[in-house]
Structures are given as C-alpha cells and as structure tokens.
Amino acid sequence: MTQTPVAAVNQERLKQHIRDIPDFPKPGILFRDITPLLQNGPALHDVLDQFHARYAQQGIDAVVAVESRGLIFGSPLADRLKAGLILVRKAGKLPHKTIQATYALEYGEGTLEVHEDCLTKGKRVLLIDDLLATGGTMEAVVKLMEHFKVHVVEVAFLVELTALDGRAKLRQHPIFSLIQY
C-alpha cells in the first residue's frame, strides 16, 4: 500500500511550526524540534484533525502510542477515534507484567515494553509516533504487536526524515507521515 499524499500546502504550513536545531543532541545532527508546533493551538489542532480524518473510518480498536512524544498525539487521537490507548514505554515504566522488545541505538540498545494483557488477537491497531528516522524504535513496536497477533492498520508519524530510510525496516505495514523532510 502506498502513502496517501497530503496536500503540499498543509505540509508547508505545518513545517513553519517546526524549528531546526543544528548540532543537537551532538555535532552533525539537525534536530527537528516539534515543540513550537505543540505550543501553537491551531497547528496542533490541524495535525490531530488530519490524523483523525485519515483514520475515522478505519475501525481502529486501539491506538498504540510510543513514549514519549508519540503519546502526545496518540492520546487525543484515541479519544477522537473512540479507541483504546496502548502505551509503549521504556523498560521499567509500566506497573504490571510486560512483554519487551529490544532495538538498536547508535550507542547501544534500548528496550520497549507493553502490558502483556493490553491487546487481544485480531484487534485493529494504529501505531503512532512523532518521528520516523532510522525506524528502529517502531520496528521494536511492530515486534511487540506480532506477539498479540493484531492487525496493524497503519504506522503513522508526524515527521519522516526520508534520507534515513526508516521505511525499509517497516515495509510489512502501510506507513503514513504527515510531514517529510
């Protein structure tokens, strides 16, 4: 499945609210800071409206949101879709029994967890995070979802850094990004 295009005018308007921070968190990295977008009520509302319009008729049972910035979009979107919200958190942050998936970081590895009883087989889920870079984090989330044997309707991001080709790790599912750089 290919990505449904978003009107370029919408992308450009939203990009006006994303700040470039050179050399953060280390030299050579251009960080795309979404906090100005989050601080602008109309821009944040537009983002949520666009995500909602895309998924309103998809029969989503749960929105699976990734810590930490994915939760910013996942919670209100789940509410708008009248769907459950599944939290994917870093290891040790969830209070009940969990399952884990490990993923590579440039300086080691990270671990993500979900509650072992958060989903049942066959549920229709939307995975969401703020940014698709190399795809490692979301690849770990996909592995967690395989445990539950759910149907991943789509994997969604606010921003995609296309030059890093994170899509390559996620090709088994449809991918949507609202803004591409």
Side-chain angles (χ1 to χ4, degrees):
M1 176 184 256
T2 59
Q3 177 174 330
T4 303
V6 174
V9 76
N10 288 340
Q11 270 201 42
E12 292 310 311
R13 190 180 64 226
L14 291 174
K15 282 181 177 181
Q16 293 173 11
H17 301 287
I18 297 177
R19 177 173 39 211
D20 292 345
I21 308 288
D23 299 320
F24 182 83
K26 65 181 194 175
I29 302 292
L30 177 61
F31 185 80
R32 304 293 182 168
D33 180 14
I34 66 168
T35 57
L37 184 145
L38 299 174
Q39 294 165 357
N40 183 293
L44 179 58
H45 186 82
D46 187 30
V47 165
L48 292 168
D49 277 353
Q50 289 188 53
F51 278 132
H52 179 256
R54 183 169 181 85
Y55 301 112
Q57 303 303 315
Q58 298 296 316
I60 304 292
D61 295 308
V63 175
V64 178
V66 184
E67 183 177 349
S68 66
R69 291 178 302 268
L71 301 175
I72 294 167
F73 303 103
S75 181
L77 184 57
D79 178 65
R80 288 182 181 202
L81 295 172
K82 296 179 177 39
L85 175 66
I86 306 302
L87 305 179
V88 176
R89 304 225 35 217
K90 294 174 183 159
K93 300 292 184 180
L94 291 171
H96 189 58
K97 294 177 185 173
T98 62
I99 60 168
Q100 298 182 338
T102 301
Y103 60 103
L105 298 167
E106 58 187 276
Y107 49 84
E109 51 182 40
T111 302
L112 295 175
E113 298 180 329
V114 294
H115 281 138
E116 69 178 6
D117 60 354
C118 68
L119 288 164
T120 56
K121 182 179 177 181
K123 293 291 184 186
R124 294 175 55 79
V125 300
L126 168 66
L127 312 183
I128 193 164
D129 202 359
D130 67 319
L131 181 89
L132 174 58
T134 63
T137 301
M138 192 56 79
E139 182 181 34
V141 176
V142 167
K143 287 178 186 173
L144 289 170
M145 294 301 104
E146 289 170 357
H147 168 83
F148 296 105
K149 296 179 174 59
V150 295
H151 173 71
V152 175
V153 174
E154 198 159 66
V155 183
F157 302 92
L158 172 66
V159 174
E160 178 180 0
L161 305 178
T162 58
L164 298 178
D165 196 26
R167 284 177 175 259
K169 292 182 180 173
L170 306 171
R171 294 217 187 274
Q172 71 271 37
H173 299 293
I175 301 166
F176 172 74
S177 56
L178 202 53
I179 303 166
Q180 296 86 36
Y181 286 98

